[in-house]
Amino acid sequence: MQIPIVEIYEIINKEARKGGSLISALEEIQTRYRYLPREALILASERLDVPLSQAYAVATFYNAFSLKPKGKHCFQVCVGTACHVRGSPQVLDHIETKLGLKAGETSHDHMFSLETVNCLGACALGPIIVTNGEYSGQMNAKKSDTLLRRIFRAEGLDKNE
Ligand code: FES
């Protein structure tokens, strides 16, 4: 994957000019490219005058950031205790089978990523899945199929049909 270094530099520069933070710059880069290339962390460190180790610490601390390219569609299955006892392992198994991915993996075409997360703060609605930032509660295999079908259709894929 080609790294759009000029565009990344422009994002960082824009943040620097308005006195923005490292996190704001990284958020915009993550949103646009679905990951934080190493070069982005180096540029951000230099331009925003923060140690590179701090840039890496931020990039690896928050779940929202990734050092590897994520898929266009990202599924996060909560495996916190409340969701676990309400059936998230079965939901995760089901989605793994449907996507042909294990938790933590991204498809080769960078279309899908599957992740697990720990407690999203909506335990009463568990099991919870976050799809592209949208929360869905009380998930089960059938409901996750509906969710997946909607995305497959939008992408023109007949997977899971
Ligand atoms: S354990 Fe899943 S939202 Fe809290």
Side-chain angles (χ1 to χ4, degrees), residues 51-112:
L52 184 56
S53 59
Q54 188 182 333
Y56 268 100
V58 169
T60 54
F61 180 78
Y62 294 102
N63 271 342
F65 296 137
S66 172
L67 299 179
K68 289 192 296 188
K70 284 192 184 184
K72 178 177 178 185
H73 300 287
C74 186
F75 298 89
Q76 297 174 310
V77 179
C78 180
V79 292
T81 306
C83 285
H84 184 92
V85 299
R86 291 167 189 246
S88 69
Q90 291 77 17
V91 174
L92 178 61
D93 273 356
H94 188 74
I95 295 175
E96 283 180 336
T97 302
K98 292 292 180 179
L99 291 178
L101 295 173
K102 288 287 179 194
E105 292 181 343
T106 294
S107 59
H108 293 299
D109 60 1
H110 290 103
M111 184 62 79
F112 302 107

Side-chain angles (χ1 to χ4, degrees), residues 78 80-83 119-123 128:
C78 180
T81 306
C83 285
C119 194
L120 295 157
C123 308
I128 301 276

